[in-house]
Amino acid sequence: MPVLDQEPSTDLGDGVGLPKLPLPDLKVTLDMYLRCMQHLLTEEQFNKTQNIVKQFGSPGGVGELLQSKLVERRESTANWVYEYWLNDMYLNNRLALPVNSSPAMVFPQQNFRAPIDSLRFAAHLISGVLEYKTLLDGRALPVDYARGQLAGTPLCMEQYYRLFTSYRLPGPERDTLVAQESSVMPEPEHIIVACKNQFFVLDVVINFRRLNERDLLTQLEKIVKMADSEDESLPHIGLLTSDGRTEWAESRSILMKESTNRDSLDMIERCMCLLCLDDASGAELSDTTRATLMLHGGGVTKNGGNRWYDKPMQFVVGANGCCGVVCEHSPFEGIVLVQCTEYLLKYMIGSPSKLVRAASVSELPAPRRLRWKCTPEIHKLIASSADKLQRLVRNLDMNVHKFYEYGKEFIKKQKMSPDAYIQVALQLAFYRCHGRPVSTYESASIRRFQQGRVDNIRSATPEALAFVRAMTDAKLSTSDMEKMEMLRNAITAQTKYTVLAITGMAIDNHLLGLREIALEMKMEKPEIFKDDAYLISNQFILSTSQVPTTVEMFCCYGPVVPNGYGACYNPQSDHIIFSVSSFRESPQTCSAEFVKCLVQGLLDMKDLCNKCNYNSDPAMQRKGQTVKKHTEMEANKQDKIQQRPSDQSKSQQTLPQVLVKSPDQNNPEAQTQTSEQNGSKS
């Protein structure tokens, strides 16, 4: 039986009052693992895996021993998987943070007519950040409640309190997530402003008074002048943070030998956030270009060194109106990033800029430039980091596509979950491109539980495979009604797995826990975790996430494997924004081709829904015949008057579109997923 809490406590402030994450039953997880993997393996691979899994789960076997240890761990910790998950997902990962790990939110394009306009925008934005931090410091942020599936459940708020108080410290083998503990005397309240690859300390509290927007603008103007007036060519230290984590840990240890560098690093590591004032990049500012500039700054020749990737929140304000936020992902999920940035954009829209007469300039001490002492060795390391970032910039193949044919309202009218529907469309797109299914990751929030982060919805279901084969293989000669039944089955399977994931009953976290507890016990790695199937199951060639917003902006991130795709989507009522990424160095992937297949699949799925709704609803057919008869009469009348035989056929061709708005009879089981269920990138 799965291990569940009976009576949660009542204090919900920081998640303590929520139930503990359940521990699924071992046999249920192993059976589900085989079901998830069978259609992704060869027959030979699956037979081998089946035997290994059977042995692992046998009475008195290794699996039962490890499960009993997880039961003990669950009793003694707030969340039995949290530490394992955090290390596995982020802190053990040695890849560079930009593109590979850190997602970005891209704001609407701003129209800055003069340099002062971008600084006004930045001052207004930071003013909003200070308002939001006041809410956090006072624990005044309202508790989030789940919507969609199992609506009304309170959600753990712990992640919010790491937005402006944490830092990812690089380590030679594993990074550390450093979180400042709140105390009676709060940490120094300052932000770091990056400008022309230099870093400046901007105190936002001076003489116990929080700077207002006028003060902030004054200080930002000073910083820009200071950055412009520097005679010597300063090293682009920020580039070191864009390197692989082990390389950056080594570079940081060398920097730390000098007291000047130690002081500068301390100021950056303890700051609230970064404000990156970017130079105009000169590129055409399409959605795709803005997404890439948010993810990597355009490399060393543009703003790639104007970053410090270890900080959770980097607000980017470009002189050319390219703005957004880059986040270090280990402290929190995408939904927390969305909620924070939506607050800020709504604050900026709802509270007009307050650039009124305020404290005189003389009262404000000048911001301080951070200094660095760099040996030839450090200069060499910076050059190496710059080269690697340039390769990453060249390698990223990003494609942001706004699909305007329809949005989530059409999908809801089919009585289908928009999230499940889009996931099936992504399966169809990948199959069209590559002719096979692959392990797919969709993040699902488990914030219903103490310290809950995410588990994985395995969207590559057998039901989805049956549907995409029927849609792509003409030899199968499947009827439309059969395809529609398969689509409904795929969506139902996706929805059921989503419910399992958000209630802590999916397989990925459980298998991770079993693997890690074996390591802690210094056991030989169990065969199940050395098996090809387990390696394949964790190669997420398709890494997906729904990141819906109520303000005009979108999220993007890179693939998580060299031959994979990142696919982030933002469903709106009448359109869907897709951010698809891959790597150019992989001969197997192409973002433009994937988007092309995705669009085709979405159109095919809509056509299928319309055809089947029409054919299955007698009322619609009667209405259609009446409309058709009326249309033909009108067309005949026009023929006689204008002698235009083409008008009749034109009227008949548009007829199916007239019928789209009619009510339909569909499966009521699937419900819309919302941001609380499906958070962000893996």
Side-chain angles (χ1 to χ4, degrees):
M1 290 290 289
V3 183
L4 301 163
D5 261 10
Q6 298 304 309
E7 295 183 21
S9 56
T10 53
D11 176 19
L12 297 176
D14 56 6
V16 173
L18 296 172
K20 285 187 176 185
L21 181 70
L23 181 63
D25 180 81
L26 179 64
K27 184 180 186 310
V28 171
T29 290
L30 295 179
D31 288 348
M32 203 183 305
Y33 172 57
L34 290 173
R35 177 172 159 73
C36 286
M37 293 308 297
Q38 182 170 4
H39 56 292
L40 304 180
L41 303 171
T42 64
E43 191 177 347
E44 186 183 351
Q45 284 174 324
F46 181 70
N47 289 337
K48 181 188 170 194
T49 299
Q50 215 171 8
N51 290 329
I52 290 170
V53 168
K54 186 178 178 182
Q55 187 180 357
F56 181 78
S58 62
V62 174
E64 285 193 354
L65 172 64
L66 298 177
Q67 178 79 352
S68 69
K69 294 296 179 185
L70 283 183
V71 171
E72 291 172 17
R73 180 180 173 85
R74 184 178 182 276
E75 291 301 315
S76 61
T77 57
N79 184 310
W80 61 267
V81 82
Y82 175 73
E83 188 182 336
Y84 293 158
W85 176 89
L86 183 65
N87 289 336
D88 182 68
M89 184 68 81
Y90 296 114
L91 304 183
N92 290 342
N93 195 329
R94 301 292 82 202
L95 293 175
L97 295 184
V99 178
N100 299 305
S101 178
S102 297
M105 292 298 305
V106 184
F107 292 174
Q109 173 67 26
Q110 303 299 310
N111 183 21
F112 299 143
R113 292 189 171 85
I116 192 69
D117 290 344
S118 64
L119 296 187
R120 284 195 182 108
F121 180 90
H124 201 179
L125 179 66
I126 295 303
S127 189
V129 168
L130 299 181
E131 286 280 334
Y132 194 73
K133 190 165 187 299
T134 300
L135 284 178
L136 290 170
D137 290 345
R139 296 269 159 168
L141 208 61
V143 173
D144 289 342
Y145 286 86
R147 301 190 297 270
Q149 298 287 351
L150 313 180
T153 314
L155 303 174
C156 180
M157 299 295 288
E158 194 175 70
Q159 295 175 39
Y160 285 95
Y161 299 101
R162 292 195 284 261
L163 276 164
F164 301 108
T165 59
S166 57
Y167 182 79
R168 181 162 167 176
L169 188 68
E173 293 176 356
R174 173 188 290 169
D175 291 358
T176 305
L177 179 55
V178 179
Q180 297 161 11
E181 297 297 328
S182 58
S183 58
V184 178
M185 289 297 290
E187 291 289 322
E189 289 196 288
H190 66 277
I191 68 169
I192 295 292
V193 180
C195 185
K196 297 191 182 299
N197 304 295
Q198 302 164 57
F199 298 96
F200 300 84
V201 179
L202 196 169
D203 290 310
V204 293
V205 176
I206 296 177
N207 297 330
F208 305 103
R209 183 176 68 84
R210 197 178 90 189
L211 266 59
N212 61 29
E213 204 174 314
R214 173 77 255 176
D215 296 336
L216 291 168
L217 178 60
T218 298
Q219 298 296 71
L220 292 177
E221 288 179 287
K222 288 182 193 174
I223 285 170
V224 170
K225 282 180 184 170
M226 289 168 73
D228 283 336
S229 66
E230 186 63 42
D231 294 331
E232 59 182 305
S233 175
L234 292 169
H236 297 184
I237 292 286
L239 288 170
L240 294 173
T241 71
S242 74
D243 210 330
R245 301 308 291 170
T246 299
E247 292 87 342
W248 166 219
E250 290 168 0
S251 300
R252 185 180 178 280
S253 66
I254 296 167
L255 280 173
M256 288 288 284
K257 292 174 184 174
E258 289 283 352
S259 62
T260 302
N261 299 339
R262 285 199 297 274
D263 291 344
S264 293
L265 286 167
D266 180 62
M267 291 307 290
I268 293 175
E269 290 167 9
R270 288 190 299 111
C271 75
M272 279 171 48
C273 63
L274 253 79
L275 170 65
C276 307
L277 301 176
D278 278 8
D279 290 338
S281 65
E284 177 227 342
L285 290 177
S286 63
D287 288 337
T288 296
T289 301
R290 290 188 300 127
T292 59
L293 291 174
M294 281 304 120
L295 287 173
H296 54 52
V300 68
T301 57
K302 293 178 183 169
N303 297 291
N306 212 43
R307 302 281 186 275
W308 199 271
Y309 282 101
D310 296 349
K311 281 307 291 185
M313 299 291 276
Q314 298 190 87
F315 296 98
V316 177
V317 178
N320 54 1
C322 181
C323 303
V325 55
V326 189
C327 93
E328 198 291 292
H329 210 337
S330 65
F332 48 80
E333 303 312 327
I335 183 57
V336 173
L337 175 65
V338 169
Q339 298 281 66
C340 174
T341 50
E342 287 198 346
Y343 175 94
L344 297 176
L345 290 183
K346 286 172 182 173
Y347 168 87
M348 293 174 76
I349 295 163
S351 68
S353 188
K354 300 185 185 75
L355 294 173
V356 294
R357 186 170 56 81
S360 66
V361 174
S362 61
E363 292 175 19
L364 297 172
R368 181 159 67 87
R369 186 199 314 270
L370 294 180
R371 294 288 180 181
W372 307 93
K373 282 193 178 175
C374 294
T375 60
E377 185 180 11
I378 288 290
H379 283 288
K380 193 175 175 183
L381 290 167
I382 291 171
S384 171
S385 298
D387 287 345
K388 281 181 260 187
L389 181 61
Q390 283 305 105
R391 179 179 165 182
L392 193 58
V393 169
R394 288 192 300 269
N395 198 5
L396 180 62
D397 178 10
M398 174 64 68
N399 191 309
V400 178
H401 181 82
K402 290 182 177 174
F403 177 79
Y404 282 112
E405 294 298 322
Y406 60 95
K408 63 184 177 184
E409 288 310 313
F410 169 79
I411 304 169
K412 285 180 182 177
K413 283 177 182 174
Q414 315 309 310
K415 302 291 190 292
M416 295 175 184
S417 151
D419 183 68
Y421 182 101
I422 294 167
Q423 282 292 324
V424 173
L426 289 166
Q427 291 297 311
L428 177 55
F430 189 91
Y431 197 87
R432 269 218 169 104
C433 276
H434 301 284
R436 65 189 177 105
V438 287
S439 289
T440 303
Y441 186 100
E442 182 191 5
S443 53
S445 172
I446 47 173
R447 284 175 59 211
R448 288 167 168 74
F449 307 102
Q450 288 179 45
Q451 295 182 4
R453 293 294 298 266
V454 297
D455 204 339
N456 177 22
I457 303 168
R458 288 193 164 266
S459 305
T461 61
E463 292 85 355
L465 179 58
F467 170 71
V468 302
R469 276 182 175 154
M471 292 293 283
T472 54
D473 190 346
K475 293 175 192 170
L476 295 176
S477 56
T478 316
S479 73
D480 286 340
M481 294 307 286
E482 287 171 325
K483 288 176 186 173
M484 191 66 191
E485 184 65 22
M486 289 174 173
L487 173 58
R488 292 210 174 280
N489 290 342
I491 285 175
T492 300
Q494 177 74 13
T495 305
K496 283 179 178 174
Y497 202 105
T498 298
V499 172
L500 287 174
I502 64 178
T503 54
M505 291 293 171
I507 65 171
D508 283 67
N509 282 350
H510 191 191
L511 290 170
L512 172 66
L514 294 165
R515 187 189 81 193
E516 291 303 298
I517 205 105
L519 192 64
E520 274 182 18
M521 293 169 68
K522 296 185 167 52
M523 289 173 59
E524 184 187 345
K525 185 186 274 192
E527 200 62 33
I528 188 173
F529 301 120
K530 294 191 281 188
D531 180 32
D532 285 348
Y534 187 70
L535 302 177
I536 292 167
S537 77
N538 283 286
Q539 279 286 304
F540 294 113
I541 290 171
L542 195 48
S543 174
T544 73
S545 184
Q546 176 183 229
V547 185
T549 65
T550 60
V551 175
E552 187 199 339
M553 58 179 170
F554 63 90
C555 181
C556 56
Y557 53 78
V560 297
V561 292
N563 60 333
Y565 293 97
C568 188
Y569 53 96
N570 181 350
Q572 298 294 306
S573 59
D574 60 353
H575 67 282
I576 309 166
I577 306 169
F578 291 97
S579 303
V580 174
S581 61
S582 61
F583 289 123
R584 296 185 196 280
E585 287 178 9
S586 169
Q588 300 165 34
T589 58
C590 172
S591 296
E593 191 59 33
F594 187 91
V595 167
K596 183 180 170 186
C597 291
L598 179 58
V599 168
Q600 186 58 54
L602 286 165
L603 294 174
D604 290 349
M605 287 166 71
K606 181 187 179 185
D607 286 348
L608 181 65
C609 289
N610 286 340
K611 280 183 201 169
C612 292
N613 290 340
Y614 179 77
N615 290 335
S616 65
D617 191 334
M620 283 181 70
Q621 289 180 8
R622 284 196 298 274
K623 183 178 176 183
Q625 286 163 3
T626 305
V627 172
K628 185 178 179 183
K629 190 173 182 181
H630 177 74
T631 306
E632 287 173 347
M633 286 169 65
E634 285 297 312
N636 288 335
K637 198 183 293 180
Q638 290 298 317
D639 281 348
K640 289 174 183 175
I641 296 168
Q642 300 177 17
Q643 300 291 306
R644 286 187 186 173
S646 61
D647 282 0
Q648 181 176 346
S649 59
K650 193 183 291 183
S651 298
Q652 289 172 324
Q653 283 168 5
T654 60
L655 182 60
Q657 295 175 1
V658 175
L659 298 173
V660 172
K661 296 176 184 175
S662 300
D664 45 42
Q665 297 173 342
N666 283 298
N667 182 356
E669 288 178 26
Q671 299 293 321
T672 306
Q673 302 308 306
T674 67
S675 51
E676 276 74 13
Q677 277 94 58
N678 306 316
S680 74
K681 189 193 174 185
S682 59

